[in-house]
């Protein structure tokens, strides 16, 4: 696919890296020629230095032939204008824009239409990150909790804890333990190596298990695998920026939330905006402040400042002082690779953002993609089209579908109903199929499998 | 007389159009549909062709593709025949790039007819001589004559 990326910042840069990696033809546009040169030094991409929204710049970047425009400059206005120019002058099929300001986002439905501001897909990284952390807090014991099929089903990752009921038993025993709950284990990572699970696979302590279940059943399965039963209550957020404050706002009705922020003026603003949250002025890397605020009884400590180093250090401190779980925002992927057990859950803004974009880049009718395990694995939701003749999946039992190695179907969502994958289920047209792909190099095979034959009419 | 005489006109026969991507070619094909048939929405055809293509390639193989879709503003099946200046990649199962295209649009309520039309068109494009003659044609008029008179 030919893709133009506007803005060579952190998101633009890591997007370019990820997408060239997958055989796309990428052109990156930025005002700053030096940044572009740096990027070009290690990536096989084209670059154009210029004003991102200008028609001439876009023409130079190949907008005539481009399938997609991804506008991720620092300015909402430039991003929107670029989409408008691409739409009016170049008929660009897919226009994706990052829009940060809540001022625009709160009028989403009226503003972003073809006849008004033609943005096909809006990405709001802050919103995505907030939702992601919110899900982790809602499911104590989970390392990852990702939505599928309009939140009807979820994929959850957990680390199997000592003392969990399932340790030392075969996977199929889960059913005997929880007769009313249906779940499908999609993948198991043992010492970072994927194991394709079968009914007889014995679960060991320390295994990282990915499973799919209907949203209502998630917590029961997590408890089975981790022996964690109680819900989180006390949340301490470090950093009152965009992400921290939005998270506090979304949590304060259900949890006991405190937020620590350095800047006096920001604190004032926060206390006006947040009704229930306790706003504390100070530094979260100050052990005395953490102790005063009862860090040892905090269930979840979230380090969400815009500084990776601070986030990592304060998380380690909070953990040592007794916080039960720490969630840490880390943008730099090198850091993410370095950190060990001291940080329970690292959150990568880029990986979350890229996942949401990949859904539009994959071939076929793909509604959700989550990029996992630093981009090596992927979970995707595809819609099956066609009939027995024009499709290789529709009209077939799950055990008749020739899945590539390392790919498992976790669930099938039909309308409002979630069917956990069992061999006898037959795929119907328009079913949403949720798959786990342990190795992303197999994704083209999955795309081919779901592609309709030549004779299909949409 | 054959199937082509019902589907294309000299106006809807395009000789060596330029463009180096599916996107650009679909733009040209879509606008050809509304030439002289003003009720057809170019935008609808363009988006319909792109969307169908996203679900799976309409490449037939041997350098030929037959992109097709249903279109709301379309009353009777219509086609556009085109040869390309440069071959483009079309994700065909045989891996070959494409330089001969036949775009087909049908009304929304078509049920069986459109499948028959598609298979009849595909059958003609499977004849090597037919494609060969179209590729060596010197003008759109010649392409039109070849295709509508083929037996």
């Amino acid at each position: 696919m030919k893709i133009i990326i506007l803005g060579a910042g952190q998101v633009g840069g890591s997007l370019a890296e990820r997408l060239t990696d997958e055989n796309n033809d990428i052109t990156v546009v930025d005002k700053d020629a030096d940044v572009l040169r740096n990027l070009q030094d290690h990536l096989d991409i084209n670059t154009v230095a210029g004003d991102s929204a200008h028609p001439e710049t876009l023409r130079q970047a190949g907008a005539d032939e481009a399938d997609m425009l991804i506008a991720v400059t620092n300015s909402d206005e430039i991003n929107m204008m670029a989409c408008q120019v691409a739409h009016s002058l170049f008929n660009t099929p897919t226009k994706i824009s990052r829009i940060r300001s809540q001022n625009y986002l709160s009028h989403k439905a009226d503003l972003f239409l073809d006849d008004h501001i033609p943005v096909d897909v809006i990405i709001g990284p802050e919103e995505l990150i907030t939702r992601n952390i919110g899900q982790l807090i809602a499911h104590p014991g989970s390392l990852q909790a990702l939505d599928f099929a309009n939140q009807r089903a979820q994929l959850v990752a957990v680390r199997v804890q000592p003392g969990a009921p399932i340790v030392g038993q075969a996977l199929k025993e889960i059913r005997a333990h929880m007769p009313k709950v249906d779940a499908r284990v999609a993948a198991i990572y043992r010492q970072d190596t994927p194991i394709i699970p079968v009914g007889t696979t014995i679960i060991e302590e320390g295994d990282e298990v990915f499973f799919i279940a209907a949203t209502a059943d998630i917590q029961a399965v997590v408890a089975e695998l981790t022996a964690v039963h109680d819900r989180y209550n006390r949340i301490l957020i470090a950093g009152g920026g965009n992400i921290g404050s939005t998270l506090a706002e979304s949590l304060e009705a259900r949890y006991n939330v405190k937020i620590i922020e350095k800047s006096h003026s920001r604190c004032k603003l926060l206390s006006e905006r947040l009704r229930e949250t306790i706003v504390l002025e100070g530094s979260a890397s100050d052990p005395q402040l953490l102790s005063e605020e009862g860090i040892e009884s905090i269930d979840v400590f979230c380090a969400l400042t815009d500084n990776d180093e601070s986030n990592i250090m304060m998380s380690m401190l909070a953990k040592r002082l007794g916080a039960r779980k720490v969630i840490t925002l880390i943008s730099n992927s090198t850091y993410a690779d370095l950190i060990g057990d001291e940080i329970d859950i690292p959150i990568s803004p880029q990986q979350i953002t890229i996942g949401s974009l990949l859904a539009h880049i994959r071939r076929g009718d793909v509604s959700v993609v989550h990029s996992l395990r630093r981009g090596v694995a992927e979970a995707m939701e595809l819609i099956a089209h066609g009939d027995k003749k024009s499709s290789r999946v529709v009209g077939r039992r799950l055990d008749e579908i020739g899945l590539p190695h390392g790919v498992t179907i976790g669930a099938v969502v039909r309308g409002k109903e979630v069917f956990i994958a069992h061999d006898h289920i037959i795929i119907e047209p328009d079913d949403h199929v949720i798959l786990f792909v342990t190795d992303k190099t197999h994704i083209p095979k999955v795309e081919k499998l779901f592609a309709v034959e030549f004779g299909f009419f949409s | 007389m054959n199937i082509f005489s019902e589907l294309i006109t000299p106006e809807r026969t395009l000789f060596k159009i330029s463009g180096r991507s599916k996107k650009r070619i679909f733009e040209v094909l879509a606008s050809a549909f509304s030439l002289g048939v003003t009720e057809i929405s170019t935008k609808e055809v363009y988006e319909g062709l792109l969307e169908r293509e996203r679900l799976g390639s309409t490449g037939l193989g041997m350098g030929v593709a037959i992109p097709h879709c249903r279109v709301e503003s379309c009353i009777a099946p219509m086609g556009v025949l085109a040869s390309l200046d440069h071959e483009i990649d079309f994700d065909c199962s045989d891996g070959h790039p494409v330089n001969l295209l036949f775009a087909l649009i049908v009304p929304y309520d078509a049920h069986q007819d459109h499948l028959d039309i598609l298979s009849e068109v595909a059958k003609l494009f499977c004849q090597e001589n037919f494609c060969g003659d179209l590729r060596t044609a010197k003008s759109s008029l010649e392409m039109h004559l070849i295709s509508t008179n083929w037996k």
Side-chain angles (χ1 to χ4, degrees), chain A residues 168-429:
Chain A
Q169 303 205 35
L171 258 187
K172 58 183 180 203
E173 297 299 321
I174 293 188
R175 291 216 70 159
H177 292 195
M178 299 183 297
K180 286 192 185 135
V181 171
D182 203 0
R184 168 88 186 196
V185 171
I188 297 173
Y189 286 82
R190 187 166 295 164
Q191 276 134 21
D192 277 341
T193 310
I195 300 174
I196 300 303
V198 290
T200 52
T201 307
I202 307 278
I203 301 287
E204 293 179 10
E205 204 181 296
D207 282 355
E208 190 179 335
V209 176
F210 283 85
F211 69 88
I212 294 171
T215 303
D217 294 334
I218 293 292
Q219 207 44 44
V221 187
V222 174
E224 173 79 12
L225 295 165
T226 63
V228 174
H229 291 283
D230 44 346
R231 65 185 286 272
Y232 293 144
N233 182 34
R234 293 197 174 82
I235 316 292
L236 181 59
I237 297 170
N242 228 329
I243 299 174
S245 58
T246 318
L247 181 67
E249 203 168 17
S250 71
L251 296 176
E252 62 181 6
R254 281 162 299 145
Y255 302 88
N256 180 336
V257 185
K258 288 180 189 171
I259 190 164
I260 302 178
E261 164 61 39
K262 259 188 186 161
S263 139
H264 178 70
S265 55
R266 183 73 192 170
C267 279
K268 267 178 81 180
L269 206 83
L270 289 174
S271 30
E272 280 161 28
R273 181 174 158 194
L274 301 167
R275 285 157 188 265
E276 311 280 340
T277 304
I278 297 171
V279 181
L280 304 162
E281 187 179 332
S283 161
S285 40
D286 172 7
Q288 203 185 334
L289 177 63
L290 291 181
S291 297
E292 275 168 26
E293 293 311 322
I295 187 73
E296 70 285 348
S297 60
I298 291 292
D299 292 315
V300 186
F301 176 87
C302 306
L304 307 176
T305 75
D306 55 7
N307 183 312
D308 280 359
E309 289 87 347
S310 305
N311 286 342
I312 294 171
M313 292 317 286
M314 60 177 73
S315 298
M316 290 169 78
L317 181 65
K319 187 83 185 170
R320 276 206 197 150
L321 292 175
R324 207 167 133 201
K325 183 131 288 186
V326 296
I327 297 179
T328 312
L329 197 65
I330 305 176
S331 298
N332 185 329
S333 59
T334 320
Y335 289 169
D337 291 340
L338 274 176
I339 53 151
D341 289 347
E342 298 241 29
I343 282 166
D344 297 304
I345 309 177
I347 301 270
S348 156
Q350 288 90 334
Q351 189 161 329
I352 294 176
T353 311
I354 287 171
S356 75
L357 284 171
L358 285 176
H360 306 280
I361 291 163
R362 298 273 169 261
R363 315 197 94 244
D365 197 353
V366 178
S367 39
V368 180
V369 171
H370 291 293
S371 180
L372 302 164
R373 298 196 59 90
R374 298 187 200 132
V376 180
E378 212 162 272
M380 50 202 303
E381 174 184 333
L382 288 117
I383 304 173
H385 287 284
D387 53 25
K388 197 159 184 175
K389 232 178 116 195
S390 60
S391 161
R392 266 162 282 196
V393 292
V394 174
R396 285 161 181 79
R397 286 167 52 108
L398 293 190
D399 56 357
E400 293 169 344
I401 295 173
L403 288 172
H405 183 71
V407 178
T408 36
I409 293 180
V412 175
V413 181
R414 185 171 302 152
K416 289 182 180 170
E417 254 185 301
V418 178
F419 298 93
I420 296 305
H422 294 293
D423 287 350
H424 64 271
I425 289 176
I426 294 170
I427 304 270
E428 292 181 9

Side-chain angles (χ1 to χ4, degrees), chain A residues 63-67 90-93 114 359-360 362-365 385 451-458, chain B residues 20-24 27 43 46-47 50 52 54-56 58 60 66 68-70 91 104 106 114-115 118:
Chain A
D64 261 325
E65 313 274 354
D67 300 295
F90 301 105
N91 263 322
T92 308
D114 266 8
H360 306 280
R362 298 273 169 261
R363 315 197 94 244
D365 197 353
H385 287 284
V452 294
E453 298 285 338
F454 168 79
F456 176 78
F457 266 88
S458 44
Chain B
R20 292 178 182 269
S21 61
K22 265 190 196 180
K23 180 255 178 192
R24 188 76 197 109
E27 267 185 291
K43 180 174 185 293
Y46 176 58
E47 286 172 0
L50 282 169
R52 165 62 186 82
R54 192 176 154 89
L55 298 180
T58 55
L60 189 63
I66 311 184
H68 53 270
C69 64
R70 293 177 201 261
D91 294 307
L104 173 68
V106 300
H114 62 294
L115 291 175
L118 185 64

Side-chain angles (χ1 to χ4, degrees), chain B residues 3-60:
Chain B
I3 183 106
F4 286 100
S5 36
E6 291 160 34
L7 295 172
I8 60 172
T9 60
E11 278 172 316
R12 291 205 301 273
T13 308
L14 310 174
F15 175 69
K16 301 250 176 195
I17 54 176
S18 61
R20 292 178 182 269
S21 61
K22 265 190 196 180
K23 180 255 178 192
R24 188 76 197 109
I25 298 299
F26 281 3
E27 267 185 291
V28 178
L29 293 173
S31 53
F33 276 106
S34 32
L35 283 176
V37 192
T38 45
E39 63 271 18
I40 298 279
S41 150
T42 308
K43 180 174 185 293
E44 203 197 334
V45 177
Y46 176 58
E47 286 172 0
L49 292 176
L50 282 169
E51 195 174 313
R52 165 62 186 82
E53 206 62 31
R54 192 176 154 89
L55 298 180
S57 173
T58 55
L60 189 63

Side-chain angles (χ1 to χ4, degrees), chain A residues 51-83:
Chain A
D51 287 299
S52 291
H54 285 185
E56 194 42 43
T57 314
L58 290 174
R59 188 180 306 282
Q60 275 178 33
D64 261 325
E65 313 274 354
D67 300 295
M68 182 180 285
L69 180 84
I70 305 176
V72 286
T73 73
N74 283 328
S75 153
D76 284 354
E77 290 74 20
I78 291 178
N79 292 343
M80 288 189 273
M81 193 60 205
C83 288

